[in-house]
């Protein structure tokens, strides 16, 4: 089974080369689609001048203006040809080799939606306590509102059987992707399977963009879709 990876990137010039090389070294049948969201650093240049010649098989798409992570995912979705789709951030917070075990339940037909969990990893590798608490609150909210049993709702690795992600209409443009997709797969009746993942957190100085306002918004998105379509 082919795995399509959607990589939304915004100002990731310091990490893009390394993460792309790591992804392309994963021993799976991989299609990588990178969406540059009008980066203001040299990301676009690196993609055009270096990555496209080193890896001509990678599809590189670009937004003329910044639209957000979820908008970038929507741009890439029609181009995905794999039976499995996941989102791969353009930073180095995740370990792409984790996708081998994270896609296994889908390849074996045992699950349709698999999320990574940093809490099922015994090292619990978190940088900011506030993020840890925020992640817990989001997971509880999902479990209470949607009857799931998850520990790490905002985890970066979310793996889907392709037709499920394609069947979902995504309304939001930015970091609301995670709560929106969690709400909608839950409402479709899918049980989310969680597996441990590695995590190497970066700081805001290193380019982290998600903040506490995104956490509050995520809770609102979860509540909203519980009671409306
Ligand atoms: N396309 C697009 N991607 C973005 C934007 N902002 C951030 N990203 C990308 O989204 C990914 C996650 O951003 P981070 O700042 O690392 O956020 P995080 O705290 O790791 O949060 P998640 O990984 O989303 O749980 C990275 O690949 C970013 O480059 C944006 O405005 N547009
Ligand atoms: Mg990240």
């Amino acid at each position: 089974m082919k795995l399509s990876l959607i990589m939304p990137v915004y100002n990731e010039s310091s990490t893009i080369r390394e993460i792309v090389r790591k992804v392309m070294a994963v021993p799976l049948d991989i299609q990588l689609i990178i969406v540059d969201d009008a980066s203001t650093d040299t990301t676009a240049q690196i993609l055009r001048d270096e990555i496209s010649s080193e890896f001509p098989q990678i599809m590189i798409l670009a937004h003329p203006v910044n639209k957000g992570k979820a908008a970038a995912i929507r741009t890439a979705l029609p181009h995905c040809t794999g039976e499995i789709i996941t989102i791969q951030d353009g930073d180095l917070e995740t370990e792409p080799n984790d996708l081998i075990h994270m896609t296994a339940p889908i390849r074996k037909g045992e699950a349709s939606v698999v999320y990574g969990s940093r809490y099922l990893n015994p090292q619990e590798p978190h940088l900011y306590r506030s993020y840890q608490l925020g992640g817990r609150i989001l997971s509880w909210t999902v479990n209470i509102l949607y009857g799931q049993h998850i520990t790490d709702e905002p985890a970066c690795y979310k793996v889907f059987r392709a037709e499920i992600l394609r069947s979902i209409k995504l309304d939001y443009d930015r970091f609301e992707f995670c709560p929106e997709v969690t709400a909608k797969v839950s409402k479709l009746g899918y049980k989310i399977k969680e597996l441990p993942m590695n995590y190497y957190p970066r700081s805001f100085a290193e380019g982290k963009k998600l903040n506490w306002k995104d956490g509050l918004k995520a809770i609102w998105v979860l509540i909203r879709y519980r009671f409306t379509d």
Side-chain angles (χ1 to χ4, degrees):
M1 276 180 152
K2 193 199 285 181
L3 169 65
S4 293
L5 266 93
I6 300 174
M7 186 184 286
V9 289
Y10 180 63
N11 291 352
E12 300 292 4
S13 59
S14 61
T15 54
I16 187 76
R17 295 180 187 86
E18 196 175 342
I19 191 62
V20 167
R21 288 191 189 120
K22 284 178 117 182
V23 165
M24 296 311 281
V26 174
L28 291 173
D29 183 7
I30 280 182
Q31 176 199 26
L32 177 59
I33 303 175
I34 303 176
V35 186
D36 173 52
D37 202 10
S39 293
T40 55
D41 66 358
T42 55
T43 302
Q45 220 171 309
I46 296 168
L47 290 170
R48 196 180 54 234
D49 301 343
E50 299 177 38
I51 300 204
S52 64
S53 44
E54 192 175 342
F55 300 103
Q57 69 274 44
I58 296 177
M59 183 180 285
I60 298 172
L61 305 172
H63 285 169
V65 290
N66 181 264
K67 292 184 180 167
K69 183 174 177 173
I73 293 169
R74 275 208 307 273
T75 297
L77 266 177
H79 301 281
C80 291
T81 54
E83 294 85 0
I84 309 175
I85 302 178
T86 192
I87 316 304
Q88 167 68 58
D89 286 358
D91 52 40
L92 293 165
E93 293 188 293
T94 57
E95 167 49 64
N97 276 313
D98 281 346
L99 291 168
I100 300 170
H101 78 268
M102 293 212 36
T103 52
I106 299 185
R107 283 186 270 119
K108 290 185 207 149
E110 293 168 2
S112 297
V113 181
V114 182
Y115 283 13
S117 169
R118 297 163 286 196
Y119 302 102
L120 297 179
N121 174 345
Q123 290 152 15
E124 289 214 2
H126 271 256
L127 186 58
Y128 296 110
R129 288 196 79 81
S130 54
Y131 277 79
Q132 202 162 348
L133 181 65
R136 291 281 192 199
I137 293 172
L138 281 172
S139 306
W140 290 329
T141 308
V142 170
N143 296 343
I144 292 165
L145 293 180
Y146 296 96
Q148 298 282 0
H149 294 279
I150 60 172
T151 61
D152 195 3
E153 195 282 329
C156 337
Y157 275 148
K158 292 181 164 61
V159 187
F160 306 89
R161 238 180 348 104
E163 62 261 35
I164 296 174
L165 195 55
R166 276 212 208 87
S167 73
I168 290 174
K169 189 181 147 296
L170 292 168
D171 300 325
Y172 284 95
D173 280 342
R174 296 197 172 269
F175 286 121
E176 304 90 342
F177 170 76
C178 282
E180 180 173 4
V181 85
T182 301
K184 291 186 174 176
V185 298
S186 302
K187 282 173 84 166
L188 288 171
Y190 294 103
K191 207 85 205 139
I192 298 167
K193 181 171 178 61
E194 271 193 330
L195 290 174
M197 65 174 280
N198 288 292
Y199 185 60
Y200 310 101
R202 65 174 171 175
S203 64
F204 281 99
E206 289 165 312
K208 194 173 188 69
K209 294 159 196 92
L210 195 95
N211 63 40
W212 64 270
K213 286 187 219 140
D214 297 304
L216 286 184
K217 195 139 188 218
I219 291 186
W220 161 243
V221 171
L222 288 171
I223 295 172
R224 179 198 150 174
Y225 286 119
R226 173 65 182 77
F227 300 105
T228 62
D229 285 334

